[in-house]
Amino acid sequence: MRKAILLAAWALLATLVVPGRADAGNGDVKDGLPSYRERAILALTNACRQDPQGYRGTYLGTKRILLAKNFPPVAPLHFSTALARAARAHSRDMARTPCFQHDSCDGTDIWTRIRRYYTEGGSMGENIAYGYASPLDVVNGWLLDKGAADGTKGAGHRKSIMTARYTEVGNGSVSSNSRRGIYDTQDFGNGPPDFASPLASGSHVLDGGERITFLASFHAKDGKAPRTAFLVLDGRRHAMKRAFGKPASATWRVDLDQAAGCRSYVSRFEDAAGRKWLYPEDGTLFTTGEGGCRREYSSDDDAGEEDDDGTD
């Protein structure tokens, strides 16, 4: 299968900043957004933003890019339904028309297209790709940028992912009927996030082995680390450890053995002030892809509630 990424696009546009409106709880699915793949792309993107050198050492196996002098850690991105709609629409357009470009397949300018959905901020950017099998593959493809060095024109995808002024992102993943496989679009913006929760993202990641990785991004504006960080998986708590970033702004992680089918989970953190935060806020995620699991999310499933009978 062919794989491709197109040089990232970004722009600064003068426009009125309008406060965001939340249509669902933090991390919950609204109108099918985000899908598992889109959520996992966000979680991996945030892991890189919070600790680019740590991410590089864990997932990229190279020391030639994401140098500390070029890419210091930055705050994680929050999910934007508006940007996700823009990204999903573009991936669908490219998969069905087909085409592979930042402008719409009918020639509509990229910024005009995004503005049809997103009016929150004045700075925007976009990454696109096709042919990558997994969320980890596509994020790493953007970061590697076919070997382009930091600071060069060819490192546009890496620059977009690590741009500090971006605060929100929407990922759109759509399968095509061609050998190009899945089209992925990642649209960035700098509007005010819809949620004040310090939990910016959460997902699981499968890397083809026998283990499953769970990630949750926590960013405390008060500069204090969380008191506790747990994954609640099928009602049982598993302590998460800081894997990428500094205590007050980090992606937390736990690796577990895979199971034979679907399991439900939420991330549960307590901040320094004793406030408890859930991701997703009102629903439950499932281990999509584990043992053939096809479920992704439930808004009324109570399987993610905490059970004190056991702690790993």
Side-chain angles (χ1 to χ4, degrees):
M1 179 183 294
R2 293 181 60 198
K3 301 177 183 178
I5 55 179
L6 190 63
L7 181 63
W10 60 87
L12 287 171
L13 302 178
T15 187
L16 178 65
V17 176
V18 181
R21 293 184 59 188
D23 295 325
N26 183 43
D28 293 305
V29 173
K30 176 68 174 180
D31 298 331
L33 295 165
S35 67
Y36 159 65
R37 182 181 176 99
E38 294 160 354
R39 187 186 301 272
I41 289 173
L42 172 56
L44 290 163
T45 296
N46 279 340
C48 184
R49 284 175 65 90
Q50 291 178 294
D51 187 356
Q53 290 76 50
Y55 184 99
R56 179 191 63 197
T58 300
Y59 290 122
L60 297 179
T62 178
K63 296 183 179 180
R64 300 180 60 187
I65 63 171
L66 290 171
L67 303 179
K69 65 180 181 179
N70 298 320
F71 292 112
V74 295
L77 301 166
H78 286 264
F79 170 78
S80 163
T81 299
L83 285 170
R85 287 171 176 155
R88 181 83 69 85
H90 190 47
S91 289
R92 184 181 298 112
D93 185 26
M94 291 190 294
R96 294 180 178 177
T97 302
C99 73
F100 186 61
Q101 59 194 41
H102 286 292
D103 290 341
S104 298
C105 295
D106 65 4
T108 301
D109 176 80
I110 172 180
W111 314 120
T112 300
R113 167 176 55 81
I114 296 176
R115 281 289 176 217
R116 289 174 177 171
Y117 301 89
Y118 182 73
T119 60
E120 301 298 316
S123 180
M124 299 183 298
E126 180 173 275
N127 288 337
I128 60 175
Y130 72 76
Y132 289 89
S134 72
L136 183 60
D137 288 337
V138 70
V139 173
N140 287 352
W142 283 327
L143 290 169
L144 290 168
D145 262 328
K146 297 183 178 180
D150 286 355
T152 62
K153 184 177 180 180
H157 301 95
R158 196 179 311 143
K159 179 180 177 182
S160 291
I161 286 173
M162 292 303 303
T163 294
R165 68 176 175 269
Y166 294 146
T167 56
E168 299 184 288
V169 72
N171 301 301
S173 303
V174 176
S175 297
S176 72
N177 294 324
S178 71
R179 289 183 295 176
R180 287 187 169 185
I182 299 173
Y183 283 79
D184 290 290
T185 300
Q186 187 174 47
D187 284 340
F188 303 89
N190 74 332
D194 289 346
F195 304 99
S197 172
L199 279 172
S201 60
S203 184
H204 67 281
V205 177
L206 300 167
D207 62 5
E210 297 180 353
R211 304 278 279 175
I212 182 171
T213 295
F214 296 88
L215 303 173
S217 172
F218 183 90
H219 179 76
K221 293 183 178 180
D222 63 6
K224 298 179 180 180
R227 290 182 181 178
T228 60
F230 288 104
L231 173 79
V232 184
L233 178 66
D234 271 357
R236 184 168 184 167
R237 293 187 304 173
H238 300 268
M240 303 187 80
K241 296 183 179 179
R242 180 166 53 90
F244 304 100
K246 297 181 179 180
S249 183
T251 290
W252 296 68
R253 171 176 175 165
V254 61
D255 296 294
L256 301 170
D257 291 332
Q258 287 196 43
C262 290
R263 292 183 286 178
S264 62
Y265 69 94
V266 298
S267 299
R268 184 180 185 278
F269 281 57
E270 183 178 341
D271 66 19
R275 292 168 296 193
K276 296 179 180 179
W277 304 92
L278 293 174
Y279 189 97
E281 186 176 319
D282 300 316
T284 303
L285 301 177
F286 291 90
T287 54
T288 312
E290 180 185 47
C293 177
R294 299 181 66 179
R295 295 191 72 181
E296 296 197 4
Y297 170 83
S298 174
S299 61
D300 57 2
D301 196 309
D302 63 0
E305 291 300 313
E306 184 175 335
D307 182 347
D308 289 330
D309 289 342
T311 301
D312 285 350

